[in-house]
Amino acid sequence: MTPKVAIIVLSWNGKDDTFECLKSLGEVVYPNFWTILVDNGSTDGTAEAVRSAFSDVEVIETGQNLGFAGGNNIGIRRSLDSGADAVLLLNNDTVVAPEFLSPLVKVLYRSDDIAAVNPLIYYYDQPDVIWSAGGEIDRRTGIAYQRYLDIKDVGQFRGETAVDYGVGAALLICREAIEKVGLLDPDYFLYYEESDWCFRARDAGYKTIFTPESKIWHKVSRGFEGRSAAQLYYFCRNRLYFLKKRRVKSSRLLRIVLSDFSRMAASMAVHGDVRSSRAVLRGVADFYLGRMGK
């Protein structure tokens, strides 16, 4: 029997991007899936517009921005209650190839110890340049790396690879792993929640796999410099939180703060970006004060 897949598209405004994503899902050739749009408190009329234009898409409105984890958790619960064998987390600013889902499902069900599968993700505006081929994390520093970032695809992939984590922009997860590992941790709100989940799955005996046979395109900017102050805040705070959950010693966390974040904040201030500098320092302070979530 073909596994039943629920595709969860999380939106927070970006109506035009959401429409393009849903249109690409309408071309998917996999025979047993349905789409759930979880609207995370959009103010641009996304939910109403999707209901009008895509009658086959189930729409759930959260009424507020619950973050990546909170919004997706609502979709995951709904999917499992509706009998999904697997759920696919998918950013609303992505476009998928018609054949993208079948290779993900094939890999996911190849072995009982596979929890999640990541596709090959390209930049939307540079369709042959790689944004992610799965993720790796430095266990000592908590720095997350997306494999093959900014490298042109010249056919260098020869098969599937086990990775530390699957990028949440497009991640297929099996029902059994969710039931064993649990949902995403909402304390992150934004960033590192998929890394945390994949490491928890590893603790439970599962693997996360990257496959180049599945392809999608992501509307994302290059480089760390383009990130907003809010994004910097969550990256810094949640990196420390991730390490704490991985039982990294407090002395190691303090060295990271002094060596990485203090220098980062100082450099930003010197170059006139006081807002970003403050965001970094606030992220560190809120971590130590236990201020998590949004």
Side-chain angles (χ1 to χ4, degrees):
M1 185 177 71
T2 306
K4 184 180 181 181
V5 178
I7 298 180
I8 302 168
V9 178
L10 183 67
S11 67
W12 182 63
N13 298 316
K15 180 170 58 179
D16 291 342
D17 288 339
T18 300
F19 266 51
E20 188 172 6
C21 176
L22 295 177
K23 286 178 181 177
S24 73
L25 288 173
E27 302 296 324
V28 170
V29 296
Y30 186 79
N32 194 14
F33 80 96
W34 86 101
T35 302
I36 301 172
L37 177 79
V38 178
D39 187 73
N40 233 354
S42 294
T43 58
D44 64 351
T46 292
E48 296 86 350
V50 168
R51 284 194 180 98
S52 176
F54 300 91
S55 59
D56 58 335
V57 174
E58 180 178 356
V59 178
I60 299 174
E61 294 184 71
T62 66
Q64 59 181 310
N65 187 357
L66 301 178
F68 181 88
N72 274 308
N73 283 344
I74 286 177
I76 292 170
R77 290 191 190 98
R78 174 61 177 170
S79 301
L80 299 187
D81 289 345
S82 299
D85 299 307
V87 299
L88 175 75
L89 309 183
L90 186 68
N91 276 21
N92 70 321
D93 59 349
T94 60
V95 173
V96 305
E99 305 82 8
F100 94 108
L101 189 51
S102 293
L104 295 176
V105 173
K106 181 180 178 180
V107 173
L108 186 67
Y109 288 96
R110 188 189 64 200
S111 173
D112 290 340
D113 66 349
I114 296 176
V117 187
N118 235 174
L120 179 57
I121 307 177
Y122 301 96
Y123 285 99
Y124 177 85
D125 59 357
Q126 294 179 288
D128 61 347
V129 177
I130 298 164
W131 180 68
S132 176
E136 302 289 344
I137 289 188
D138 187 314
R139 305 311 199 266
R140 289 175 57 82
T141 66
I143 295 175
Y145 303 91
Q146 288 175 193
R147 300 167 67 246
Y148 293 88
L149 176 68
D150 293 342
I151 295 176
K152 186 174 182 179
D153 184 359
V154 291
Q156 61 267 59
F157 299 106
R158 293 292 180 265
E160 303 151 11
T161 306
V163 294
D164 282 344
Y165 71 94
V167 178
L171 185 63
L172 183 68
I173 310 172
C174 71
R175 180 189 189 99
E176 292 76 13
I178 296 171
E179 291 175 340
K180 188 171 183 179
V181 176
L183 298 172
L184 300 166
D185 183 350
D187 279 347
Y188 286 99
F189 186 75
L190 184 67
Y191 301 125
Y192 272 89
E193 51 276 273
E194 75 268 58
S195 307
D196 174 86
W197 191 92
C198 289
F199 271 73
R200 286 158 50 204
R202 180 190 291 244
D203 292 342
Y206 287 104
K207 296 185 292 188
T208 299
I209 302 294
F210 156 75
T211 177
E213 299 304 315
S214 175
K215 297 174 172 58
I216 76 165
W217 291 263
H218 191 194
K219 298 173 184 175
V220 63
S221 300
R222 285 198 184 201
F224 197 79
E225 300 78 15
R227 290 176 180 161
S228 68
Q231 288 173 311
L232 287 169
Y233 166 84
Y234 287 116
F235 267 111
C236 295
R237 186 196 70 178
N238 292 352
R239 178 178 156 194
L240 294 171
Y241 180 51
F242 172 83
L243 288 170
K244 179 182 178 180
K245 290 189 70 175
R246 301 314 301 171
R247 299 181 179 85
V248 171
K249 293 181 179 180
S250 57
S251 57
R252 163 63 58 182
L253 297 180
L254 181 58
R255 284 196 291 272
I256 290 171
V257 169
L258 295 176
S259 63
D260 289 5
F261 295 146
S262 295
R263 290 178 185 176
M264 184 190 302
S267 176
M268 290 171 173
V270 167
H271 288 88
D273 192 354
V274 177
R275 181 179 174 85
S276 293
S277 177
R278 288 176 176 170
V280 171
L281 295 176
R282 183 185 170 196
V284 172
D286 281 0
F287 164 74
Y288 280 106
L289 291 170
R291 293 173 177 163
M292 302 304 296
K294 186 175 181 180

